[in-house]
């Protein structure tokens, strides 16, 4: 992790997802790919910065993508399991 102008950047997708145990580096890479695709609900959420052949991800933007994917009830998306209904 590095800090530039008060913003925390992760050098790898693995560093970017360390705050969430159920988020994998592949999922973070998917969010970055989707954020560049026009028409996707995550379009423009993550803006990766490239410097000297390395890609840096703003951690606050990764957190915004994580929140958006958990809160969205997209018609084509996978349904989240309701814990209380599964227990009953």
């Amino acid at each position: 992790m590095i800090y530039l102008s008060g913003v925390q950047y992760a050098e790898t997708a693995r560093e970017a997802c360390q705050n969430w145990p159920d988020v994998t580096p592949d999922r973070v890479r998917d969010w970055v790919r989707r954020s560049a695709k026009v028409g996707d609900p995550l379009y423009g959420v993550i803006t990766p910065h490239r410097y000297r052949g390395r890609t840096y991800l703003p951690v606050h933007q990764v957190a915004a993508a994580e929140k958006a994917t958990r809160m969205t009830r997209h018609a084509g998306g996978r349904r989240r399991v309701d814990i209380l209904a599964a227990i009953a």
Side-chain angles (χ1 to χ4, degrees), residues 39-50:
D40 193 281
L42 289 180
Y43 177 69
V45 173
I46 300 176
T47 308
H49 299 279
R50 291 178 177 80

Side-chain angles (χ1 to χ4, degrees), residues 1 10 12-29 31 57 59 62-63 66:
M1 297 280 184
T12 63
R14 182 177 311 247
E15 288 180 357
C17 70
Q18 70 184 4
N19 294 329
W20 307 281
D22 60 335
V23 175
T24 63
D26 290 332
R27 174 58 55 197
V28 173
R29 287 185 207 99
W31 291 338
L57 304 172
V59 175
V62 174
E66 187 269 343

Side-chain angles (χ1 to χ4, degrees), residues 73-84:
R73 293 199 178 259
H74 191 335
R78 221 168 57 175
R79 300 284 179 207
R80 304 290 194 266
V81 175
D82 184 3
I83 298 297
L84 297 177

Side-chain angles (χ1 to χ4, degrees), residues 32-70:
V32 172
R33 181 187 54 78
R34 288 177 58 194
S35 70
K37 189 176 179 182
V38 176
D40 193 281
L42 289 180
Y43 177 69
V45 173
I46 300 176
T47 308
H49 299 279
R50 291 178 177 80
Y51 179 71
R52 293 189 180 194
R54 301 205 73 177
T55 302
Y56 297 92
L57 304 172
V59 175
H60 70 282
Q61 291 180 353
V62 174
E66 187 269 343
K67 180 181 177 184
T69 56
R70 290 193 194 271

